Amino acid sequence: MIVYHFTSAEHGISNIANKRIKVAEIDKLNDPFELMAVDTASDRRLRKALKEMKVDLAKGYGITCFSKKWGNPVHWAHYGDRHRGVALGFEIPVRLLMPVNYVKNKLLVSRETILDPSLNESVMRKILSTKFDHWSYEEEWRGFCRFSEEEKFRRSVGLPIFQEFSDELRLKEVILGLHISKDNELKIQKALAEFESRVELVKSRAAFRTFDVVPNKSWHPKTLKP
């Protein structure tokens, strides 16, 4: 399955050159309702249990975030540095991804379920893959990462955690934002030249008939000097 990770040109160049992407930490995501998508109006103890679970899980787990498509201009505006960034297209086995479920109302989950250690990870996956309906434009899919002891240490001292490119995280496409600089275009080309397998490079543009971002078929990458 091909999914897309949006980022700035600077981070995109670094990701390509170092063959890795950053893992998002659960307690640093941009939606305050992450892992809090449960109706707790009638149970203060459930609110406390959820908050404690979020703190505990953030110490040992992270996620990688992707979108099913790259053509939504809102996605570029929010995550692609206002169309000056890139979308990295990865081939990832479907079994390693979970689709986000978009809902209008919070989930009904009991406190006993939250506190049951045998169900903790499965419950967490369900809650972590549930978001408010207004986020549905993202068409998000998530990878779920369990931190190693070294990664837990990196997190404890404020260092970023990365997932290396591999057969299960294979870079297949790079989509250039329609406002990306010429200098960054060239830097990305040079970084991709180090890859053994071919990675498709696409320049985007605004569609003529619709509110979509589409491939600019008249664009061609510069010929790199040997």
Side-chain angles (χ1 to χ4, degrees), residues 53 110-123:
M53 185 178 81
S110 69
R111 184 168 60 92
E112 290 73 24
T113 300
I114 294 295
L115 295 176
D116 186 344
S118 66
L119 299 176
N120 210 23
E121 185 168 318
S122 63
V123 171

Side-chain angles (χ1 to χ4, degrees), residues 110-161:
S110 69
R111 184 168 60 92
E112 290 73 24
T113 300
I114 294 295
L115 295 176
D116 186 344
S118 66
L119 299 176
N120 210 23
E121 185 168 318
S122 63
V123 171
M124 183 277 297
R125 284 175 177 267
K126 180 178 181 180
I127 298 174
L128 190 57
S129 62
T130 299
K131 297 189 70 171
F132 181 42
D133 184 62
H134 283 210
W135 291 97
S136 61
Y137 77 90
E138 294 184 341
E139 297 186 70
E140 186 178 357
W141 287 68
R142 291 180 165 180
F144 184 64
C145 309
R146 187 192 299 267
F147 293 152
S148 65
E149 292 303 315
E150 179 185 351
E151 289 168 337
K152 289 179 183 178
F153 173 75
R154 289 182 63 86
R155 170 182 157 81
S156 71
V157 296
L159 294 175
I161 298 168

Side-chain angles (χ1 to χ4, degrees), residues 55-115:
V55 170
D56 288 341
L57 289 170
K59 295 176 182 177
Y61 300 89
I63 61 173
T64 46
C65 304
F66 307 94
S67 178
K68 188 176 180 182
K69 299 177 182 178
W70 63 262
N72 190 321
V74 180
H75 221 146
W76 282 98
H78 287 175
Y79 302 109
D81 191 21
R82 291 177 292 173
H83 297 264
R84 297 176 301 190
V86 297
L88 305 178
F90 292 97
E91 183 176 32
I92 305 174
V94 175
R95 60 182 172 80
L96 299 180
L97 296 170
M98 53 184 181
V100 169
N101 181 36
Y102 299 100
V103 299
K104 293 183 178 180
N105 301 304
K106 286 190 171 185
L107 303 173
L108 297 177
V109 180
S110 69
R111 184 168 60 92
E112 290 73 24
T113 300
I114 294 295
L115 295 176

